[in-house]
Amino acid sequence: MKIKILRFSLLLVVLLNILVSCKNDDDDSVDFVEEDRTEQQAKDKDSLIAYLTSHYYNSGFFETGTNHKYTDIVITALEEGETVPDGHTLLMSAVELRTTTYFETDYEYYVLNINQGGGGSPAFTDMVRVRYSGSSINEALDGNYETFDSSVTPINFNLQTDGFSFSVIKAWQLVMPTFNASSSYEIDDNGIFTFTNPGLGIMFIPSGLGYFSGTSTGSSYDNLMFKFELLQYEVEDHDSDGVPSYLEDRDGDLDVVDDDTDEDFSPNFIDIDDDGDNVATLDELIPSTYIVNTNNNDEEPVLGANEYEISRVTIDGVITIKTVTIADSNNDGTPDYLDETITINYNEI
Ligand SMILES: [Ca+2]
Ligand SMILES: [Ca+2]
Ligand SMILES: [Ca+2]
Ligand SMILES: [Ca+2]
């Protein structure tokens, strides 16, 4: 599994820097200096455009049906003087240009949406289940098509790290929430899953939204291409405090690390007492339990607007669902768990 968080790449850079610095006393080798992000992005933009304007894909194959796989996508280099054959589309004519700011650098990247997907859509902090392959665009421009990472069997990735576990590169966190997962799935007698109407696409990304100076792909500053199927996702609650992690992004800037209500240097999404009032967040939410007996054809409960499922256990067709509801007992717009002046423990009432 090669997809790692950038932070670890940076750590590696620091370590390399120390190693190289130590050597400097003995010889005259130069310090490792990471490329300037803005300068690198300008080069990467040229590489991405060069690739997208010189390659086409089998678009006709995907015109009917919604159950295609990433392995069905065939990208071919356009030979000099050749026109794009019928049933195919030049990548540049099919992709959508997207922009973002990351590490104070303006980035451009491209997404080819082949199928949106028929299910729900993950939040940027959720876990996704995908099939995918990743390859180097720089290598492809040199005529070498090599996959550096792939999984044809479904595999899970966290879109948001808690600072300790691995998670994906930035581009995945940006792109996955813009697709939908499959609408349903079936498991056959051999345990093989079949997914209906999954999200299917390709992302073409500059090194700055990938591994940048890291060498996970075999070389630094690689522009990358990921073909993927978004199969399923799960809502993540990193600190298990009952509030889904995406809701702990209080300022809504798609960054959970910069939200720290009690300013204790533990961001809300990994803080079990978000307002620091010594009543745990989980205790400042109103608990409910639902019993759904599927043997009696009981229907699942419809959850309230501020109600979230925290656990589900099924025994002999009887489902026990526990939920929490965000309370704002003084109606001042700040929920109890973020209001240090309110200390009601709903699990002791
Ligand atoms: Ca935020
Ligand atoms: Ca905190
Ligand atoms: Ca929290
Ligand atoms: Ca409180």
Side-chain angles (χ1 to χ4, degrees):
M1 206 286 279
K2 286 182 178 170
I3 294 194
K4 294 176 191 133
I5 183 170
L6 193 65
R7 191 171 298 171
F8 293 99
S9 304
L10 291 175
L11 180 66
L12 187 67
V13 170
V14 172
L15 289 173
L16 277 174
N17 212 350
I18 292 166
L19 287 173
V20 174
S21 300
C22 291
K23 275 177 69 182
N24 270 358
D25 295 339
D26 308 314
D27 59 44
D28 48 17
S29 62
V30 265
D31 275 357
F32 177 89
V33 179
E34 192 168 64
E35 296 290 338
D36 176 82
R37 280 189 169 263
T38 301
E39 287 172 18
Q40 185 61 40
Q41 169 56 17
K43 291 182 207 163
D44 290 355
K45 179 181 176 175
D46 290 345
S47 300
L48 288 175
I49 290 173
Y51 182 80
L52 295 169
T53 53
S54 64
H55 289 75
Y56 59 86
Y57 85 109
N58 54 336
S59 53
F61 183 85
F62 302 97
E63 274 168 14
T64 53
T66 53
N67 293 336
H68 301 300
K69 296 182 165 50
Y70 83 82
T71 45
D72 295 328
I73 305 169
V74 180
I75 294 178
T76 311
L78 190 67
E79 299 300 328
E80 211 169 312
E82 185 193 8
T83 52
V84 176
D86 281 353
H88 295 73
T89 305
L90 193 70
L91 287 172
M92 198 68 197
S93 309
V95 295
E96 180 191 332
L97 168 66
R98 297 186 188 173
T99 59
T100 192
T101 303
Y102 185 52
F103 281 106
E104 297 172 352
T105 307
D106 292 330
Y107 282 106
E108 294 185 356
Y109 60 108
Y110 299 86
V111 176
L112 175 55
N113 182 328
I114 295 175
N115 190 51
Q116 180 62 36
S121 191
F124 73 101
T125 50
D126 287 345
M127 187 186 74
V128 293
R129 186 165 300 126
V130 294
R131 286 191 279 243
Y132 75 102
S133 76
S135 60
S136 162
I137 285 175
N138 301 47
E139 288 289 315
L141 283 170
D142 286 340
N144 312 315
Y145 182 82
E146 265 181 47
T147 298
F148 68 85
D149 191 12
S150 69
S151 182
V152 291
T153 53
I155 183 169
N156 297 340
F157 289 113
N158 287 314
L159 295 182
Q160 174 68 48
T161 180
D162 57 10
F164 299 101
S165 60
F166 289 125
S167 75
V168 294
I169 53 174
K170 186 65 183 177
W172 278 53
Q173 193 182 35
L174 295 169
V175 172
M176 288 300 167
T178 66
F179 280 77
N180 293 66
S182 58
S183 52
S184 62
Y185 66 91
E186 286 177 8
I187 314 173
D188 71 12
D189 294 342
N190 298 319
I192 305 292
F193 282 76
T194 306
F195 295 92
T196 301
N197 199 1
L200 175 67
I202 317 178
M203 60 180 106
F204 303 90
I205 60 168
S207 63
L209 299 177
Y211 303 100
F212 200 52
S213 61
T215 52
S216 295
T217 64
S219 58
S220 299
Y221 311 113
D222 244 348
N223 296 291
L224 304 176
M225 169 171 78
F226 286 96
K227 301 173 181 172
F228 59 88
E229 290 160 51
L230 177 57
L231 306 170
Q232 292 176 297
Y233 71 99
E234 281 176 26
V235 176
E236 279 289 315
D237 175 8
H238 287 79
D239 54 10
S240 302
D241 67 356
V243 182
S245 291
Y246 69 88
L247 279 182
E248 302 225 48
D249 175 25
R250 294 298 300 170
D251 57 4
D253 66 350
L254 301 181
D255 177 5
V256 281
V257 177
D258 65 359
D259 304 88
D260 182 13
T261 299
D262 59 5
E263 298 179 345
D264 67 349
F265 301 105
S266 182
N268 288 14
F269 86 110
I270 48 171
D271 189 341
I272 59 169
D273 177 11
D274 292 299
D275 56 6
D277 64 359
N278 294 319
V279 180
T281 291
L282 190 58
D283 289 329
E284 293 203 72
L285 307 172
I286 302 165
S288 304
T289 302
Y290 301 90
I291 308 292
V292 180
N293 188 341
T294 58
N295 305 308
N296 297 340
N297 294 322
D298 283 0
E299 301 244 339
E300 292 224 2
V302 177
L303 302 190
N306 292 313
E307 185 175 14
Y308 303 95
E309 181 174 321
I310 54 168
S311 72
R312 166 180 294 248
V313 177
T314 306
I315 299 171
D316 297 334
V318 178
I319 310 170
T320 303
I321 300 169
K322 294 194 180 216
T323 70
V324 287
T325 298
I326 292 176
D328 177 14
S329 51
N330 63 355
N331 284 312
D332 68 347
T334 301
D336 290 6
Y337 80 97
L338 296 174
D339 189 337
E340 61 179 345
T341 68
I342 305 283
T343 54
I344 303 165
N345 182 334
Y346 288 97
N347 285 315
E348 283 184 352
I349 289 173

